[in-house]
Amino acid sequence: MRAIVVGAGVGGLAAALSLRRAGHDVTLVEQTPHFTETGAGIQLAPNATRVLRRLGLLKAVDAHAARPAELSFRTWSDGAEICRYALGRAVEEEFGAPYLQVHRADLQQALAAAVPSGSVRLNTVVAGVDQDEESAYVTTASGERLAADLVVTADGIRSAARRQLFGADEAVFSKTAAYRALVPAHEVADLDLPDTGVWLGPDRHFVHYWVRRRELLNVVAVFGTETAQESWTAQAEPGEQLRAFDGWDPRVLGVLQRTGQVFRWGIHTRAPLARWNVGRVTLLGDSAHAMAPFQAQGAAQAIVDAAVLGDCLTGATSADVGGALDRYVRRRLAGATNMQARSAQAGEEFHLPDGPEAEARNARMAAHAAGHRFLPQAAAWAVDALDERATG
């Protein structure tokens, strides 16, 4: 069959590759004149890296990644450890695929390099999507009408296709924002940081982990706020991040003092949908289920979407498209919606005020870690892993 994928972010690229692997002819449509990916660090749990291996890309991504040994949760004021979870070799042995931390640009470059250049239409703005009983169509801003057997819209959190299919529902501001930065490893070598750290405090939390073969420290400092722009490129005012985290552990402040360019990103999500598809058109990734990043699963869920989509369309003909897309949504909607809810809940729990609530949270986290080697969200890695048709 012929498929059109709208959007060349991580989800769109993975979808194009999965559909090609399923035997279909794919055209990838992207509005920018060349492949670009803003942002910095991204975490890829085994549910995502298993798909990358299936696509033949795991080695290429791993070559530029960091493999964390463990993750430590800490208190904001003195850095006392709340609990610790295994990552690294233990995760790979348990789930059959590694846990990687990568620069988003490195991941996208590996995905984009695997898509034949003749299948890509860059600098092409999509003005609309429509369909009839036999075909789906993408109309470009220049008036061209592209026909296919199905259309996959991976056009991100601001998805125009979602609005066209299901009506207006705007992105939802989470009342949190994040300072994001990359710091060269040598500049923080003296700070005695945990391998991967999440520091919890009132109305704040601070995350750091390595990317690009441990050459760079990815920094995400999240704070509550009533307003913030949903932008990967908006820059913070000089020293703003230090004022926001005044009084935190000296190691946290040491990292924030050594950041160069700092971006200020308002964290938005999308409300869950009851379905993602209409006829021959379906949503994928953030357009379907944009979530807060507090479970480190946003990109991973999009990559798993792509694998399941390809699986459901393997062997399908044009007459089968509607049913195949129904199966894709049935297999993915509940899990992605659950991860949206878990991510939002984690943000609330991370930001509890000092006192009985935070103490109870810390006790729960310590008790869980005492009985389990892996993070609570590892259940999602295992569920995805069990579906060998989708990810094996």
Side-chain angles (χ1 to χ4, degrees), residues 37-42 64 66 101-106 178-188 193 206-221 232 241 254-264:
E37 183 59 71
T38 52
I42 191 169
H64 297 280
Q101 294 166 335
V102 303
H103 195 296
R104 188 179 289 262
D106 295 335
Y179 299 112
R180 304 188 67 114
L182 290 166
V183 185
H186 66 86
E187 294 189 10
V188 293
L193 298 170
F206 180 80
V207 180
H208 60 79
Y209 56 88
W210 302 104
V211 299
R212 199 160 280 172
R213 300 175 298 274
R214 305 179 74 90
E215 296 170 5
L216 296 171
L217 186 72
N218 187 65
V219 177
V220 185
W232 284 99
Q241 74 278 13
V255 173
L256 292 175
Q257 286 169 346
R258 301 173 199 195
T259 53
Q261 189 175 50
V262 179
F263 296 97
R264 192 179 195 269

Side-chain angles (χ1 to χ4, degrees), residues 3 11 36 66 82 161 169 172 174 193 199 261 338 373 381 392:
T36 58
I82 300 168
D169 71 320
V172 179
S174 68
L193 298 170
W199 310 61
Q261 189 175 50
N338 179 60
R373 296 182 71 190
W381 313 345

Side-chain angles (χ1 to χ4, degrees), residues 320-337:
D320 303 326
V321 167
L325 294 183
D326 284 342
R327 289 192 297 275
Y328 153 66
V329 174
R330 282 199 301 270
R331 283 172 55 178
R332 286 296 302 137
L333 189 144
T337 301

Side-chain angles (χ1 to χ4, degrees), residues 237-321:
E237 296 294 327
E240 182 181 342
Q241 74 278 13
L242 286 169
R243 294 189 293 273
F245 284 79
D246 184 39
W248 279 54
D249 184 281
R251 287 166 288 184
V252 171
L253 293 177
V255 173
L256 292 175
Q257 286 169 346
R258 301 173 199 195
T259 53
Q261 189 175 50
V262 179
F263 296 97
R264 192 179 195 269
W265 169 50
I267 299 172
H268 289 65
T269 64
R270 297 304 295 260
L273 290 170
R275 59 182 303 184
W276 302 342
N277 64 309
V278 175
R280 295 176 175 273
V281 182
T282 190
L283 308 178
L284 181 145
D286 279 355
S287 67
H289 50 69
M291 61 189 68
F294 308 139
Q295 297 280 279
Q297 273 286 302
Q301 291 294 304
I303 291 170
V304 175
D305 285 352
V308 175
L309 178 68
D311 180 60
C312 289
L313 285 161
T314 298
T317 67
S318 184
D320 303 326
V321 167

